Amino acid sequence: MNDTLTIGSYEFKSRLIVGTGKYSDFATMVRAHEASGAELVTVAIARVNLSQPNEETLLDYIDRNRFTILPNTAGAYTAQDAIRIARLARASGIGDLIKLEVIGDPKTLLPDVVALLEATEVLVKEGFIVMPYTNDDPVVAKKLEDRGAACVMPLAAPIGSGRGIQNRLSLKFLMEAVSCPVIVDAGVGTASDAAICMELGADGVLMNTAIACAKDPVLMAEAMKDAVASGRNAFLAGRIPIKEYASASSPQEGLAIK
């Protein structure tokens, strides 16, 4: 079955996107990436010293023949800062894909949606393939799509909280509001959270902390790979309706002995 995730001009077989932060060391990160089966790896550009090309950075530990790098604008608190970071990533040769983050509150790390809309509009006009991290508001998601976002990335819960989906109804409304891919970003804690995201109809899941801070990051990465794939298959298969009362697996009608 040709079931690929399409973001702009890119196609991916894996619907799991992984990050690069919080690992105990680069070797563990590399092994976790391999175990995840992911093809898209996000990197906080503000934390990479691009001005010293001969200096070793985490980019040196990502196999560019195997993984596509998704630079992100983590650390930006204004539209202008996010736009600057995106331009820096492109100028360094990483490419036109950008995970757009504009944080509005340092405690909750919730997005500033006004600044996010502004930055999305500017970067789309400059030819970027914009993947904005947003809240779970379907109205905002539709506005981002209308401004040219290649997908929308609503949170399941605050970044790094591991709480799983806090509002399934909002995510359902959001998925109905847009026609672009919906990738759940932030708040996943374990494999069942990832599976639920996919069962609800998400096109993909992005996670970092849930893998990097697990007791065994490599094993958790493998679990997340399986959970995303299983959740996607369950969504495509179509679950049975939820009923109020029991429904016998072997109905009485047609039985030879009653």
Side-chain angles (χ1 to χ4, degrees):
M1 182 173 59
N2 184 26
D3 181 40
T4 57
L5 172 62
T6 302
I7 302 173
S9 58
Y10 292 80
E11 285 193 353
F12 304 99
K13 294 179 181 178
S14 173
R15 292 175 177 271
L16 174 60
I17 304 171
V18 295
T20 52
K22 300 183 178 180
Y23 284 95
S24 58
D25 52 68
F26 288 137
T28 302
M29 181 190 77
V30 170
R31 290 170 57 222
H33 286 176
E34 292 174 349
S36 73
E39 298 168 275
L40 190 56
V41 175
T42 187
V43 175
I45 292 302
R47 299 188 179 99
V48 178
N49 187 359
L50 298 175
S51 63
Q52 299 293 330
N54 296 323
E55 181 180 301
E56 185 180 68
T57 69
L58 66 85
L59 291 174
D60 296 306
Y61 290 86
I62 301 174
D63 184 353
R64 300 288 289 271
N65 293 318
R66 180 171 180 177
F67 301 102
T68 297
I69 292 180
L70 172 60
N72 68 60
T73 63
Y77 279 82
T78 67
Q80 291 70 32
D81 283 346
I83 293 167
R84 177 182 57 80
I85 294 170
R87 289 170 176 166
L88 179 63
R90 172 191 270 174
S92 68
I94 295 177
D96 293 330
L97 267 178
I98 191 74
K99 182 194 171 192
L100 181 61
E101 298 181 29
V102 186
I103 301 302
D105 175 50
K107 181 178 181 180
T108 63
L109 300 181
L110 293 174
D112 180 337
V113 296
V114 175
L116 185 67
L117 289 165
E118 178 187 344
T120 296
E121 191 165 11
V122 171
L123 292 174
V124 167
K125 288 180 179 178
E126 294 184 6
F128 284 91
I129 300 172
V130 180
M131 302 171 63
Y133 161 69
T134 183
N135 57 23
D136 58 2
D137 184 341
V139 176
V140 173
K142 181 59 178 170
K143 289 180 181 294
L144 287 166
E145 182 183 35
D146 290 344
R147 282 163 174 76
C151 68
V152 289
M153 306 182 74
L155 54 82
I159 293 173
S161 67
R163 299 179 66 90
I165 297 175
Q166 297 298 290
N167 195 331
R168 296 190 188 191
L169 192 58
S170 288
L171 282 179
K172 177 179 181 293
F173 289 160
L174 188 151
M175 292 173 193
E176 292 174 352
V178 299
S179 57
C180 64
V182 175
I183 299 171
V184 176
D185 176 12
V188 168
T190 190
S192 57
D193 298 331
I196 290 170
C197 291
M198 300 304 295
E199 289 171 3
L200 290 174
D203 295 282
V205 182
L206 187 151
M207 66 186 72
N208 180 69
T209 304
I211 295 176
C213 294
K215 290 182 179 179
D216 187 334
V218 178
L219 186 58
M220 183 61 80
E222 185 176 347
M224 292 298 189
K225 175 184 70 173
D226 294 340
V228 169
S230 295
R232 177 64 177 175
N233 285 341
F235 171 74
L236 294 175
R239 66 158 294 142
I240 63 171
I242 298 174
K243 297 181 179 181
E244 189 75 16
Y245 298 103
S247 177
S249 297
S250 299
Q252 295 296 307
E253 293 80 4
L255 290 180
I257 300 175
K258 295 186 179 181

